[in-house]
Amino acid sequence: MPPTEPRPPRPEVAEGMAAARDRGVRLGRPPAALPDGAPRAAELRAAGNSLAQIAAALNAEQIPTPSGRGQWTRSSVQYALTRYDQEHADGT
């Protein structure tokens, strides 16, 4: 089969994955660890700060970004807060 053609679906693989999901197995890549700055970002959010204000505060406090390099931005703060909310919604 030429490499440009898609591979035909394999029903046994799909059935096995569906059975694993039914058993509660989490498929796919494991979630990333909670960023170190997430609890502080959550505190600042609770105080009523905007994402830009939180980013500026985390940069001023020299808290490392999720990637460990660069500066906090609104989007990196949003990512950290989303991960924080996901972990705390699960009760962990």
Coordinates of all heavy atoms in Angstrom, one line a residue:
M1 N 0.9 -1.2 0.0 CA 0.0 0.0 0.0 C 0.9 1.2 0.0 O 1.8 1.3 0.8 CB -0.9 0.0 1.3 CG -1.8 1.2 1.4 SD -2.8 1.1 2.9 CE -3.5 -0.5 2.8
P2 N 0.7 2.2 -0.9 CA 1.5 3.4 -0.9 C 1.3 4.2 0.4 O 0.3 4.2 1.0 CB 0.9 4.2 -2.1 CG 0.2 3.2 -2.9 CD -0.3 2.1 -2.0
P3 N 2.4 4.9 0.8 CA 2.3 5.6 2.1 C 1.4 6.8 2.1 O 1.0 7.3 3.1 CB 3.8 6.0 2.3 CG 4.4 6.0 1.0 CD 3.7 5.0 0.2
T4 N 0.9 7.2 0.9 CA 0.0 8.3 0.9 C -1.5 8.0 1.2 O -2.3 8.8 1.5 CB 0.0 9.0 -0.5 OG1 -0.3 8.1 -1.5 CG2 1.4 9.6 -0.7
E5 N -1.8 6.7 1.1 CA -3.1 6.2 1.4 C -3.3 6.0 2.9 O -2.4 5.5 3.5 CB -3.4 4.9 0.6 CG -3.5 5.1 -0.9 CD -3.9 3.8 -1.6 OE1 -4.6 3.0 -1.0 OE2 -3.5 3.7 -2.8
P6 N -4.5 6.3 3.4 CA -4.7 6.1 4.8 C -4.8 4.6 5.1 O -5.2 3.8 4.3 CB -6.0 6.8 5.1 CG -6.7 6.9 3.8 CD -5.6 7.0 2.8
R7 N -4.4 4.2 6.3 CA -4.5 2.8 6.7 C -6.0 2.4 6.9 O -6.7 3.3 7.5 CB -3.7 2.6 7.9 CG -2.2 2.8 7.7 CD -1.5 2.6 9.0 NE -1.4 1.2 9.3 CZ -0.9 0.7 10.4 NH1 -0.5 1.5 11.4 NH2 -0.9 -0.6 10.7
P8 N -6.4 1.3 6.6 CA -7.8 0.9 6.8 C -8.0 0.8 8.4 O -7.1 0.4 9.1 CB -7.9 -0.5 6.2 CG -6.5 -1.0 6.0 CD -5.6 0.2 5.9
P9 N -9.2 1.1 8.8 CA -9.5 1.0 10.2 C -9.4 -0.4 10.7 O -9.8 -1.4 10.0 CB -10.9 1.5 10.3 CG -11.5 1.5 9.0 CD -10.4 1.5 8.0
R10 N -9.0 -0.6 11.9 CA -8.9 -1.9 12.5 C -9.9 -2.0 13.6 O -9.7 -1.5 14.7 CB -7.5 -2.1 13.1 CG -6.5 -2.1 11.9 CD -5.1 -2.5 12.3 NE -5.1 -3.8 13.0 CZ -4.1 -4.2 13.8 NH1 -3.1 -3.4 14.0 NH2 -4.1 -5.3 14.4
P11 N -11.0 -2.7 13.4 CA -12.1 -2.8 14.3 C -11.7 -3.3 15.7 O -12.2 -2.9 16.7 CB -13.2 -3.6 13.7 CG -12.6 -4.1 12.4 CD -11.3 -3.4 12.2
E12 N -10.8 -4.3 15.7 CA -10.4 -4.9 17.0 C -9.6 -3.9 17.9 O -9.8 -3.9 19.1 CB -9.5 -6.2 16.8 CG -8.2 -5.9 16.0 CD -8.3 -6.0 14.5 OE1 -9.3 -6.0 14.0 OE2 -7.2 -5.9 13.9
V13 N -8.9 -3.0 17.3 CA -8.2 -1.9 18.0 C -9.3 -1.0 18.6 O -9.2 -0.6 19.8 CB -7.2 -1.2 17.2 CG1 -6.6 0.0 17.9 CG2 -6.1 -2.1 16.7
A14 N -10.2 -0.5 17.8 CA -11.3 0.4 18.3 C -12.1 -0.3 19.4 O -12.4 0.3 20.4 CB -12.2 0.8 17.1
E15 N -12.4 -1.6 19.2 CA -13.2 -2.3 20.3 C -12.4 -2.4 21.6 O -12.9 -2.3 22.7 CB -13.5 -3.7 19.7 CG -14.6 -3.7 18.6 CD -14.7 -5.0 17.9 OE1 -14.1 -6.0 18.4 OE2 -15.4 -5.0 16.9
G16 N -11.1 -2.7 21.4 CA -10.2 -2.8 22.6 C -10.1 -1.5 23.4 O -10.2 -1.4 24.6
M17 N -10.0 -0.4 22.6 CA -9.9 0.9 23.3 C -11.2 1.3 23.9 O -11.3 1.9 25.0 CB -9.5 2.0 22.2 CG -8.1 1.8 21.8 SD -7.6 3.0 20.5 CE -7.6 4.5 21.3
A18 N -12.3 1.0 23.3 CA -13.7 1.2 23.9 C -13.8 0.4 25.1 O -14.4 0.9 26.1 CB -14.8 0.9 22.9
A19 N -13.4 -0.8 25.1 CA -13.5 -1.7 26.3 C -12.7 -1.1 27.5 O -13.1 -1.1 28.6 CB -13.1 -3.1 26.0
A20 N -11.5 -0.6 27.1 CA -10.6 0.0 28.2 C -11.2 1.2 28.7 O -11.2 1.4 30.0 CB -9.2 0.3 27.6
R21 N -11.8 2.1 27.9 CA -12.5 3.3 28.4 C -13.7 2.9 29.3 O -13.9 3.6 30.3 CB -13.0 4.1 27.2 CG -12.0 5.0 26.6 CD -12.7 6.0 25.6 NE -11.8 6.2 24.5 CZ -11.9 5.5 23.3 NH1 -12.8 4.6 23.1 NH2 -11.0 5.7 22.4
D22 N -14.4 1.9 28.9 CA -15.5 1.4 29.8 C -15.0 0.9 31.2 O -15.8 1.0 32.1 CB -16.3 0.3 29.1 CG -17.1 0.7 27.9 OD1 -17.3 1.9 27.7 OD2 -17.4 -0.2 27.0
R23 N -13.8 0.4 31.2 CA -13.2 0.0 32.5 C -12.7 1.2 33.3 O -12.2 1.0 34.4 CB -12.1 -1.0 32.3 CG -12.6 -2.4 31.8 CD -11.5 -3.4 31.8 NE -10.3 -3.0 31.2 CZ -9.9 -3.1 29.9 NH1 -10.7 -3.7 29.1 NH2 -8.7 -2.7 29.5
G24 N -12.7 2.4 32.7 CA -12.2 3.5 33.4 C -10.7 3.8 33.1 O -10.1 4.7 33.8
V25 N -10.1 3.2 32.2 CA -8.7 3.4 31.8 C -8.6 4.7 31.1 O -9.4 5.0 30.2 CB -8.1 2.3 30.9 CG1 -6.7 2.6 30.5 CG2 -8.2 1.0 31.7
R26 N -7.7 5.6 31.5 CA -7.5 6.8 30.8 C -6.5 6.6 29.7 O -5.4 6.2 29.9 CB -6.9 7.9 31.8 CG -6.8 9.3 31.1 CD -6.1 10.2 32.0 NE -6.0 11.5 31.4 CZ -5.2 11.9 30.5 NH1 -4.4 11.0 29.9 NH2 -5.1 13.1 30.0
L27 N -6.9 6.9 28.5 CA -6.1 6.7 27.3 C -5.4 8.0 26.9 O -5.9 9.1 27.3 CB -6.9 6.2 26.1 CG -7.7 4.9 26.3 CD1 -8.6 4.6 25.2 CD2 -6.7 3.8 26.6
G28 N -4.3 7.9 26.3 CA -3.6 9.1 25.8 C -2.4 9.6 26.7 O -2.1 8.9 27.7
R29 N -2.0 10.7 26.4 CA -0.8 11.3 27.1 C -1.2 11.7 28.6 O -2.3 12.3 28.7 CB -0.4 12.5 26.4 CG 0.9 13.2 26.9 CD 1.2 14.3 26.0 NE 2.6 14.7 26.1 CZ 3.2 15.6 25.4 NH1 2.5 16.3 24.5 NH2 4.5 15.9 25.6
P30 N -0.4 11.4 29.5 CA -0.7 11.8 30.9 C -0.7 13.4 31.0 O 0.0 14.1 30.3 CB 0.4 11.2 31.8 CG 1.4 10.8 30.9 CD 0.9 10.7 29.5
P31 N -1.6 13.9 31.9 CA -1.6 15.4 32.1 C -0.3 15.9 32.6 O 0.4 15.3 33.3 CB -2.7 15.6 33.0 CG -2.9 14.3 33.8 CD -2.5 13.2 32.8
A32 N 0.0 17.1 32.2 CA 1.2 17.8 32.6 C 1.1 18.1 34.1 O -0.1 18.3 34.6 CB 1.4 19.1 31.9
A33 N 2.2 18.3 34.8 CA 2.1 18.6 36.2 C 1.6 20.1 36.4 O 1.7 20.9 35.5 CB 3.6 18.5 36.8
L34 N 1.0 20.3 37.5 CA 0.5 21.6 37.8 C 1.6 22.6 37.9 O 2.6 22.4 38.6 CB -0.3 21.6 39.1 CG -1.0 22.9 39.6 CD1 -2.1 23.2 38.6 CD2 -1.5 22.7 41.0
P35 N 1.5 23.7 37.1 CA 2.6 24.7 37.2 C 2.8 25.3 38.6 O 1.9 25.4 39.3 CB 2.1 25.8 36.2 CG 1.1 25.2 35.3 CD 0.5 24.1 36.2
D36 N 4.1 25.6 38.9 CA 4.4 26.0 40.3 C 3.7 27.3 40.6 O 3.4 27.6 41.8 CB 5.9 26.2 40.4 CG 6.7 24.9 40.3 OD1 6.1 23.9 40.6 OD2 7.9 25.0 40.0
G37 N 3.5 28.2 39.6 CA 2.9 29.5 39.9 C 1.3 29.4 40.0 O 0.7 30.4 40.3
A38 N 0.7 28.3 39.8 CA -0.7 28.2 39.7 C -1.4 28.6 41.0 O -2.4 29.3 41.0 CB -1.2 26.8 39.3
P39 N -0.9 28.1 42.2 CA -1.6 28.5 43.4 C -1.5 30.0 43.7 O -2.5 30.6 44.1 CB -0.8 27.7 44.5 CG -0.2 26.6 43.8 CD 0.1 27.1 42.5
R40 N -0.4 30.6 43.4 CA -0.3 32.1 43.5 C -1.2 32.8 42.5 O -1.8 33.8 42.9 CB 1.2 32.5 43.3 CG 1.4 34.0 43.4 CD 1.2 34.5 44.8 NE 1.4 35.9 44.9 CZ 0.6 36.8 45.5 NH1 -0.5 36.4 46.1 NH2 0.9 38.1 45.5
A41 N -1.3 32.3 41.3 CA -2.2 32.9 40.3 C -3.6 32.8 40.8 O -4.4 33.7 40.6 CB -2.0 32.2 39.0
A42 N -4.0 31.7 41.4 CA -5.3 31.5 41.9 C -5.6 32.5 43.0 O -6.7 33.1 43.1 CB -5.6 30.1 42.4
E43 N -4.6 32.7 43.9 CA -4.8 33.8 45.0 C -5.0 35.1 44.3 O -5.9 35.9 44.8 CB -3.5 33.8 45.8 CG -3.3 32.7 46.7 CD -1.9 32.7 47.4 OE1 -1.4 33.9 47.5 OE2 -1.5 31.7 47.9
L44 N -4.2 35.5 43.3 CA -4.4 36.8 42.7 C -5.7 36.9 42.0 O -6.3 38.0 42.0 CB -3.2 37.0 41.8 CG -1.8 37.2 42.4 CD1 -0.7 37.1 41.4 CD2 -1.8 38.5 43.2
R45 N -6.2 35.8 41.4 CA -7.5 35.8 40.7 C -8.6 36.0 41.7 O -9.5 36.8 41.5 CB -7.7 34.5 39.9 CG -9.1 34.5 39.3 CD -9.4 33.2 38.6 NE -9.2 32.0 39.4 CZ -9.3 30.8 39.1 NH1 -9.6 30.5 37.8 NH2 -9.2 29.8 39.9
A46 N -8.5 35.4 42.9 CA -9.5 35.5 43.9 C -9.5 36.9 44.5 O -10.6 37.4 44.9 CB -9.2 34.5 45.1
A47 N -8.4 37.6 44.4 CA -8.3 39.0 44.8 C -8.9 40.0 43.8 O -9.0 41.2 44.0 CB -6.9 39.4 45.1
G48 N -9.4 39.4 42.6 CA -10.0 40.3 41.6 C -9.1 40.8 40.5 O -9.5 41.7 39.8
N49 N -7.9 40.3 40.4 CA -6.9 40.8 39.4 C -7.3 40.2 38.0 O -7.8 39.0 37.9 CB -5.5 40.4 39.8 CG -5.0 41.2 41.0 OD1 -4.9 42.4 41.0 ND2 -4.7 40.5 42.1
S50 N -7.0 40.9 37.0 CA -7.1 40.4 35.6 C -6.0 39.5 35.3 O -5.0 39.5 36.0 CB -7.1 41.6 34.7 OG -5.9 42.2 34.6
L51 N -6.1 38.8 34.1 CA -5.0 37.9 33.7 C -3.7 38.7 33.5 O -2.6 38.3 33.9 CB -5.4 37.2 32.4 CG -6.5 36.2 32.6 CD1 -6.9 35.6 31.2 CD2 -6.2 35.1 33.6
A52 N -3.8 39.9 32.9 CA -2.6 40.7 32.7 C -2.0 41.2 34.0 O -0.8 41.2 34.1 CB -3.0 42.0 31.8
Q53 N -2.8 41.5 35.0 CA -2.3 42.0 36.3 C -1.6 40.8 37.0 O -0.6 40.9 37.6 CB -3.4 42.5 37.1 CG -4.0 43.8 36.7 CD -5.2 44.2 37.4 OE1 -6.1 43.4 37.7 NE2 -5.4 45.5 37.6
I54 N -2.2 39.6 36.9 CA -1.6 38.4 37.5 C -0.3 38.1 36.8 O 0.7 37.8 37.5 CB -2.6 37.2 37.3 CG1 -3.9 37.4 38.2 CG2 -1.9 35.9 37.8 CD1 -5.0 36.4 37.9
A55 N -0.2 38.2 35.5 CA 1.0 37.9 34.8 C 2.1 38.9 35.2 O 3.2 38.5 35.5 CB 0.8 38.1 33.3
A56 N 1.8 40.2 35.4 CA 2.7 41.2 35.8 C 3.2 40.9 37.2 O 4.4 41.0 37.5 CB 2.1 42.6 35.8
A57 N 2.3 40.5 38.1 CA 2.7 40.2 39.5 C 3.6 39.0 39.6 O 4.6 39.0 40.3 CB 1.4 40.0 40.3
L58 N 3.3 37.9 38.8 CA 4.1 36.7 38.8 C 5.5 37.0 38.2 O 6.5 36.5 38.8 CB 3.4 35.6 38.0 CG 2.1 35.0 38.6 CD1 1.5 34.1 37.6 CD2 2.3 34.4 39.9
N59 N 5.6 37.9 37.2 CA 6.9 38.3 36.7 C 7.6 39.1 37.7 O 8.8 38.9 37.9 CB 6.7 39.1 35.4 CG 6.3 38.2 34.2 OD1 6.7 37.0 34.2 ND2 5.5 38.7 33.3
A60 N 7.0 40.0 38.4 CA 7.6 40.8 39.4 C 8.1 39.9 40.6 O 9.2 40.2 41.2 CB 6.6 41.9 40.0
E61 N 7.4 38.9 40.9 CA 7.8 38.0 42.0 C 8.8 36.9 41.5 O 9.2 36.1 42.3 CB 6.5 37.3 42.6 CG 5.6 38.3 43.3 CD 4.3 37.7 43.7 OE1 4.2 36.4 43.8 OE2 3.3 38.4 44.0
Q62 N 9.1 37.0 40.3 CA 10.1 36.0 39.6 C 9.7 34.6 39.8 O 10.5 33.7 40.0 CB 11.5 36.3 40.1 CG 12.0 37.7 39.8 CD 13.4 37.9 40.2 OE1 13.9 37.2 41.1 NE2 14.0 38.9 39.7
I63 N 8.4 34.3 39.7 CA 7.9 32.9 39.8 C 8.1 32.3 38.4 O 7.7 32.9 37.4 CB 6.4 32.9 40.2 CG1 6.3 33.4 41.6 CG2 5.8 31.5 40.1 CD1 4.9 33.6 42.2
P64 N 8.7 31.1 38.3 CA 8.9 30.6 37.0 C 7.6 30.2 36.2 O 6.6 29.8 36.8 CB 9.7 29.3 37.2 CG 9.7 29.1 38.7 CD 9.1 30.3 39.3
T65 N 7.7 30.4 34.9 CA 6.6 30.1 34.0 C 6.4 28.6 33.9 O 7.3 27.8 34.3 CB 6.8 30.7 32.6 OG1 7.9 30.0 32.0 CG2 7.0 32.2 32.6
P66 N 5.3 28.1 33.3 CA 5.1 26.6 33.2 C 6.2 26.0 32.4 O 6.6 24.9 32.7 CB 3.8 26.5 32.4 CG 3.0 27.7 32.9 CD 4.0 28.8 33.0
S67 N 6.8 26.7 31.4 CA 7.9 26.1 30.6 C 9.2 26.3 31.3 O 10.2 25.7 30.8 CB 7.9 26.8 29.2 OG 8.3 28.2 29.3
G68 N 9.3 27.2 32.3 CA 10.5 27.4 33.0 C 11.4 28.5 32.3 O 12.5 28.7 32.8
R69 N 10.9 29.1 31.3 CA 11.7 30.1 30.6 C 10.7 31.2 30.1 O 9.5 31.0 30.0 CB 12.5 29.6 29.5 CG 11.8 28.7 28.5 CD 12.6 28.1 27.4 NE 11.7 27.7 26.4 CZ 11.4 26.4 26.2 NH1 11.9 25.5 27.0 NH2 10.5 26.1 25.3
G70 N 11.2 32.4 29.8 CA 10.4 33.4 29.3 C 9.6 34.1 30.5 O 9.9 34.0 31.6
Q71 N 8.6 34.9 30.1 CA 7.8 35.7 31.0 C 6.4 35.2 31.0 O 5.9 34.6 30.1 CB 7.8 37.2 30.5 CG 9.2 37.8 30.5 CD 9.6 38.2 31.9 OE1 8.9 38.8 32.6 NE2 10.8 37.8 32.2
W72 N 5.7 35.5 32.1 CA 4.3 35.2 32.2 C 3.5 36.1 31.3 O 3.8 37.3 31.1 CB 3.8 35.4 33.6 CG 4.2 34.3 34.6 CD1 5.2 34.3 35.4 CD2 3.5 33.1 34.8 NE1 5.3 33.1 36.1 CE2 4.2 32.4 35.8 CE3 2.3 32.5 34.3 CZ2 3.8 31.1 36.2 CZ3 1.9 31.3 34.8 CH2 2.7 30.6 35.7
T73 N 2.5 35.5 30.6 CA 1.6 36.3 29.7 C 0.2 35.9 30.1 O 0.0 35.0 30.9 CB 1.8 35.9 28.2 OG1 1.5 34.5 28.1 CG2 3.3 36.1 27.8
R74 N -0.7 36.6 29.5 CA -2.1 36.3 29.9 C -2.5 34.9 29.5 O -3.1 34.2 30.3 CB -3.1 37.3 29.1 CG -3.0 38.7 29.6 CD -4.0 39.6 28.9 NE -4.1 39.4 27.4 CZ -3.6 40.3 26.6 NH1 -3.1 41.4 27.0 NH2 -3.7 40.0 25.3
S75 N -1.9 34.4 28.4 CA -2.3 33.0 28.0 C -1.6 32.0 28.9 O -2.2 30.9 29.2 CB -1.9 32.7 26.6 OG -0.5 32.9 26.4
S76 N -0.4 32.2 29.4 CA 0.2 31.3 30.3 C -0.4 31.3 31.7 O -0.6 30.3 32.4 CB 1.8 31.5 30.5 OG 2.0 32.8 30.9
V77 N -0.9 32.5 32.1 CA -1.7 32.6 33.4 C -3.0 31.8 33.2 O -3.4 31.0 34.1 CB -2.0 34.0 33.7 CG1 -3.0 34.1 34.9 CG2 -0.7 34.7 34.1
Q78 N -3.7 32.0 32.0 CA -4.9 31.2 31.8 C -4.7 29.7 31.8 O -5.5 29.0 32.4 CB -5.5 31.6 30.4 CG -6.9 31.0 30.1 CD -7.9 31.4 31.1 OE1 -8.2 32.6 31.3 NE2 -8.6 30.5 31.8
Y79 N -3.6 29.3 31.2 CA -3.2 27.8 31.2 C -3.1 27.4 32.7 O -3.6 26.3 33.1 CB -2.0 27.6 30.4 CG -1.4 26.2 30.6 CD1 -2.0 25.1 30.0 CD2 -0.3 26.0 31.4 CE1 -1.5 23.8 30.2 CE2 0.2 24.8 31.6 CZ -0.4 23.7 31.0 OH 0.2 22.4 31.2
A80 N -2.3 28.1 33.5 CA -2.0 27.7 34.8 C -3.3 27.7 35.7 O -3.5 26.7 36.4 CB -1.0 28.7 35.5
L81 N -4.2 28.6 35.5 CA -5.4 28.7 36.2 C -6.4 27.5 35.8 O -7.1 26.9 36.6 CB -6.1 30.0 36.0 CG -5.4 31.2 36.7 CD1 -6.1 32.5 36.3 CD2 -5.5 31.0 38.2
T82 N -6.4 27.2 34.5 CA -7.2 26.1 34.0 C -6.8 24.8 34.6 O -7.6 24.0 35.1 CB -7.2 26.0 32.5 OG1 -7.7 27.3 32.0 CG2 -8.0 24.9 31.9
R83 N -5.4 24.6 34.6 CA -4.9 23.3 35.2 C -5.2 23.3 36.7 O -5.5 22.3 37.3 CB -3.4 23.3 35.0 CG -3.0 23.0 33.5 CD -3.2 21.6 33.1 NE -2.4 20.7 33.8 CZ -2.8 19.7 34.7 NH1 -4.0 19.5 34.8 NH2 -1.9 19.0 35.3
Y84 N -5.1 24.4 37.4 CA -5.3 24.5 38.8 C -6.8 24.2 39.1 O -7.1 23.4 40.0 CB -5.0 25.9 39.3 CG -5.2 26.1 40.8 CD1 -4.2 25.8 41.7 CD2 -6.4 26.7 41.3 CE1 -4.4 26.0 43.1 CE2 -6.6 26.8 42.7 CZ -5.6 26.5 43.5 OH -5.8 26.7 44.9
D85 N -7.7 24.7 38.3 CA -9.1 24.5 38.5 C -9.4 23.0 38.2 O -10.3 22.4 38.9 CB -10.0 25.4 37.6 CG -9.9 26.8 38.0 OD1 -9.5 27.1 39.1 OD2 -10.3 27.7 37.1
Q86 N -8.8 22.4 37.2 CA -9.0 21.0 36.9 C -8.6 20.1 38.1 O -9.3 19.2 38.4 CB -8.3 20.6 35.6 CG -8.9 21.1 34.4 CD -8.0 20.9 33.2 OE1 -6.8 20.5 33.3 NE2 -8.5 21.0 32.0
E87 N -7.4 20.4 38.6 CA -6.9 19.6 39.7 C -7.8 19.7 41.0 O -8.0 18.8 41.7 CB -5.5 19.9 40.0 CG -4.6 19.3 39.0 CD -3.2 18.9 39.5 OE1 -3.0 18.9 40.7 OE2 -2.4 18.6 38.6
H88 N -8.3 20.9 41.2 CA -9.0 21.1 42.4 C -10.5 20.7 42.3 O -11.2 20.5 43.3 CB -8.9 22.6 42.9 CG -7.5 22.8 43.5 ND1 -6.4 23.0 42.8 CD2 -7.1 22.8 44.8 CE1 -5.4 23.1 43.6 NE2 -5.8 23.0 44.8
A89 N -11.0 20.6 41.0 CA -12.3 20.2 40.8 C -12.4 18.6 41.0 O -13.4 18.1 41.4 CB -12.8 20.5 39.4
D90 N -11.3 18.0 40.8 CA -11.2 16.5 41.0 C -11.0 16.1 42.5 O -11.0 15.0 42.8 CB -10.0 15.9 40.2 CG -10.2 16.1 38.7 OD1 -11.4 16.3 38.3 OD2 -9.2 16.0 37.9
G91 N -10.8 17.1 43.3 CA -10.6 16.9 44.7 C -9.2 16.5 45.2 O -9.0 16.0 46.2
T92 N -8.3 16.8 44.3 CA -6.9 16.5 44.7 C -6.2 17.7 45.2 O -6.6 18.8 45.2 CB -6.1 16.0 43.4 OG1 -6.1 17.0 42.4 CG2 -6.6 14.7 42.9

